[in-house]
Amino acid sequence: MNQTFSAARFVPLLRKFLQDNGWGLLSMVGVLFVILAVSMSFMVYKNPPNSVESSRLIGFLILSLVLWPLFTHQIASDYNNREQALTSLMLPASLFEKWLLLWVVTGLGFVLCFFSFFTIIDAIGTYYVNHRDWPQVTLDYFTQRHISRTIERVDFTELNKTPVWAVWLLLHPFTLAATLLFRKYTLAIGVFIGLILFGAALFINKYYAQMLVGNSITVANAFPFAGFGVMKETASGIYHYIAVPKIGNIIRWSIGIAAVAILYAVAYFRLKEREV
């Protein structure tokens, strides 16, 4: 039998984890739904239709950046407690299967729940916006500004226009590695290091973009894994958006994939130390 991975071992391992932690997981999932519903209701769906369309994916991204690390930390931090981790680490399964269990629950599990809940909340929010009884003054304003009173449900393909996928790919392994790497003050240390790395990425990316366009053009912004905006040094100062050259994308994604692999490796070997 394969000593690294076996479905005959992994499925019972996953089933036991869900049975032992079922109520805790259900409570976290319930809190996740409530936070999503309340946040989106106050931040997005109470606004005019045009504002809802432009802001709900922003709310989706911001909430995911906050809730995913919290969810991952809450589950993975149990392995920092010797007594709580002992039972899980002594189960008859390989180290890879135990690490994969963490990845499935905190990674795939969160993504499925988050997307499902957001879709349900957006369906309710869209119905509310489309059937809302607006005051006559507001209706006149919509007519004057040619603002539609109805909106379509969220289109997740719009996320492809932003580097959100790159952020997500890095967010989970970073949180998992930070949680297992630091036994105490994990959230504070993780946020601090994350902000430093993010700031460094912005600085390096802008420096790299400036090298590509030359000194005659000023780079206005350069978000990692995306294009960058430039400002021509003219009296009008017209803003232009320039897509990153293909070789630039290859370099960025190569670095990003390497970072994901390294962070997951750190989490794996830190879990191995717990097992020993």
Side-chain angles (χ1 to χ4, degrees):
M1 181 179 289
N2 192 331
Q3 296 301 313
T4 302
F5 177 79
S6 171
R9 291 194 304 264
F10 181 73
V11 173
L13 180 67
L14 178 60
R15 185 185 303 117
K16 177 172 176 54
F17 178 85
L18 295 177
Q19 289 174 347
D20 294 345
N21 301 276
W23 287 112
L25 288 173
L26 284 176
S27 64
M28 281 191 283
V29 169
V31 170
L32 171 65
F33 182 84
V34 171
I35 292 176
L36 264 178
V38 173
S39 300
M40 293 300 293
S41 297
F42 282 96
M43 290 193 310
V44 177
Y45 296 110
K46 71 173 185 177
N47 299 318
N50 59 329
S51 178
V52 171
E53 288 189 307
S54 62
S55 63
R56 57 183 167 184
L57 283 181
I58 296 176
F60 174 86
L61 174 59
I62 293 175
L63 288 170
S64 69
L65 295 180
V66 174
L67 296 176
W68 198 358
L70 290 175
F71 184 86
T72 301
H73 169 74
Q74 187 67 28
I75 294 176
S77 60
D78 287 345
Y79 288 88
N80 290 333
N81 186 301
R82 189 176 185 85
E83 294 181 357
Q84 291 179 331
L86 187 61
T87 303
S88 299
L89 293 174
M90 293 298 292
L91 292 173
S94 70
L95 177 64
F96 176 77
E97 289 163 346
K98 295 169 186 175
W99 175 88
L100 184 62
L101 173 67
L102 267 179
W103 183 88
V104 168
V105 175
T106 63
L108 184 61
F110 177 86
V111 171
L112 290 176
C113 288
F114 192 79
F115 269 87
S116 299
F117 290 163
F118 193 88
T119 301
I120 294 172
I121 292 168
D122 181 69
I124 298 173
T126 300
Y127 180 87
Y128 168 75
V129 172
N130 291 342
H131 295 80
R132 188 171 175 180
D133 187 17
W134 298 99
Q136 187 59 46
V137 176
T138 304
L139 293 176
D140 294 338
Y141 175 81
F142 289 166
T143 303
Q144 294 171 2
R145 298 298 180 107
H146 304 287
I147 298 175
S148 175
R149 289 179 55 187
T150 60
I151 59 174
E152 299 293 331
R153 292 173 62 176
V154 66
D155 182 8
F156 287 115
T157 60
E158 292 292 319
L159 292 172
N160 293 328
K161 299 178 181 179
T162 67
V164 62
W165 299 109
V167 175
W168 281 340
L169 287 174
L170 287 166
L171 182 65
H172 181 248
F174 175 80
T175 306
L176 197 59
T179 302
L180 295 175
L181 193 60
F182 307 108
R183 289 181 179 272
K184 296 182 178 180
Y185 311 112
T186 305
L187 281 178
I189 295 175
V191 170
F192 179 72
I193 294 177
L195 290 176
I196 291 178
L197 292 175
F198 182 71
L202 290 176
F203 175 80
I204 294 173
N205 204 54
K206 187 173 182 179
Y207 178 78
Y208 169 68
Q210 193 70 66
M211 290 179 58
L212 290 177
V213 300
N215 295 326
S216 61
I217 298 177
T218 301
V219 175
N221 63 71
F223 195 88
F225 300 98
F228 54 87
V230 299
M231 188 75 71
K232 283 189 176 181
E233 295 182 354
T234 61
S236 60
I238 300 174
Y239 180 83
H240 296 275
Y241 182 82
I242 298 179
V244 177
K246 188 174 182 180
I247 184 64
N249 279 334
I250 294 175
I251 294 173
R252 292 162 189 255
W253 282 103
S254 297
I255 294 174
I257 292 172
V260 169
I262 292 172
L263 289 170
Y264 275 138
V266 169
Y268 177 85
F269 286 107
R270 288 296 290 180
L271 187 64
K272 183 178 182 179
E273 293 179 8
R274 301 289 195 277
E275 191 177 46
V276 173

